[in-house]
Amino acid sequence: MVIVRTIDEFMQSRKKLNGSVGFVPTMGALHKGHLSLITRAKEENESVIVSIFVNPTQFLEGEDLDKYPRKEEADIEICRLAGVDILFMPAIDQMYHKDELMLAAPKVRGYILEGEKRPGHFDGMLQIVMKLLNLTNPQKAYFGKKDAQQLMLIDQMAKDYFMSCDIMPCEIVRDHDGLALSSRNVYLSNEDRQKALSLSRSLQKATQFVMAGEKNAAKIIDAMREVLSATDKIEYIAILNRSFEPLEEIVLQNSIILVAAWIGQTRLIDNVWI
Ligand code: AMP
């Protein structure tokens, strides 16, 4: 595995890769969720590129940019063991300059849910993903369903801008107790973690309702709200179709149930695809 930190070094190494390339962009503090993306990229491509870049433009004023977990040594080891070919770890000045021309804007479906609660987040996210996809030029790029709205927007961006790579959605990886793995879980105390379980439990409850034949979105949301009362603040509960339009009734094979809630100072998201 080569570790590269500048665009020039990256381009030198990229030229040496032959055959299909899978790309997994991350913000580091790697866990088994990231690893599942890397493993899949490895299985489906001849070479794998992973990037680790805590992208400042997708953090809002007052968010956790400065304290976002950074675990460079452990991340390098994980990538090495997973058989990654190029690990790209750029500094901010490699990815941005002061006269940036464009910010990718998410448009309508990017301004609800995460886009409403974190205005500007998706602009920054799309901006860095576009840069990274153009730079790495992979055949396939892997993204977790954990960030469902992000995945939907990236998929649309790739289509709108005629980007040639396939966007590959990957299943959510959970801890043994059901908590969706997230780099931000390290912020949780033992007590917080118990509260945090109510996110996945609320989604389990919703799934049980659907399996029992309940289709009414409002009723499902009410049941979820009850479970989520264990959190410190519910930010949203939403039932949408796969194009991110609100649903009054669940449509099987075309629904996503999403939740965001605060546990103390930590904001967590989770979802289930029905
Ligand atoms: P991040 O480092 O949080 O920006 O995440 C990098 C990629 O890993 C994104 O595509 C995420 O959706 C994905 N990811 C994060 N957590 C999980 C998880 N628990 N299961 C599957 N994918 C995940």
Side-chain angles (χ1 to χ4, degrees), residues 239-252:
I239 300 187
L240 308 174
N241 65 19
R242 305 260 164 104
S243 306
F244 269 65
E245 292 148 349
L247 289 176
E248 283 177 18
E249 299 258 307
I250 292 276
V251 182
L252 294 177

Side-chain angles (χ1 to χ4, degrees), residues 25-27 31 33-34 37 68 143-144 146-147 171-173 181:
T26 81
M27 298 206 298
H31 50 65
H34 299 111
L37 273 55
Y68 194 83
F143 296 90
K146 160 94 185 341
D147 300 281
E171 295 306 320
I172 300 177
V173 178
L181 294 184

